[in-house]
Amino acid sequence: MNSSYFSAAKNEFSENLYLYIPLTIILQSCVGSIAAMLILMQGTSLLTFVQLLVCTVLCMGYNGALLAQLKPTISFWLLLVSLSVNTALIFLNLL
């Protein structure tokens, strides 16, 4: 992807932050909960614990960044990281 696409998306997120907050909380929470469900369906082991820890920390980190009213840039990158990692965990656990 082009860096201009990311900067345009970041600017859009920053300009309309209060419109995107509810949407992204719902989106990120749904993706995170699907990832957590699929991780827990694999049973209990050290690997599933680490995966669940990463999933939970990223979801809570984004929600915490919004509650702490951090800069929109930080919140945007936390959202991207959270969605990317949780989507990867979903695909990993579907295999």
Side-chain angles (χ1 to χ4, degrees):
M1 298 242 162
N2 197 346
S3 64
S4 65
Y5 174 76
F6 286 116
S7 59
K10 184 182 66 160
N11 289 339
E12 173 72 20
F13 183 81
S14 298
E15 290 172 4
N16 298 313
L17 180 64
Y18 293 109
L19 297 175
Y20 282 114
I21 284 176
L23 176 70
T24 57
I25 287 175
I26 293 169
L27 172 68
Q28 182 259 350
S29 296
C30 288
V31 171
S33 64
I34 292 168
M37 178 192 69
L38 291 172
I39 291 167
L40 290 171
M41 287 174 56
Q42 302 299 320
T44 55
S45 68
L46 183 61
L47 178 62
T48 57
F49 173 74
V50 171
Q51 288 179 355
L52 190 60
L53 178 71
V54 168
C55 174
T56 306
V57 164
L58 288 174
C59 289
M60 289 179 65
Y62 176 69
N63 290 340
L66 291 178
L67 286 172
Q69 298 180 350
L70 295 181
K71 293 180 182 178
T73 304
I74 296 171
S75 297
F76 178 74
W77 287 110
L78 280 171
L79 174 66
L80 289 182
V81 169
S82 176
L83 289 175
S84 300
V85 171
N86 284 324
T87 303
L89 287 172
I90 289 171
F91 288 126
L92 180 70
N93 285 289
L94 282 176
L95 296 178

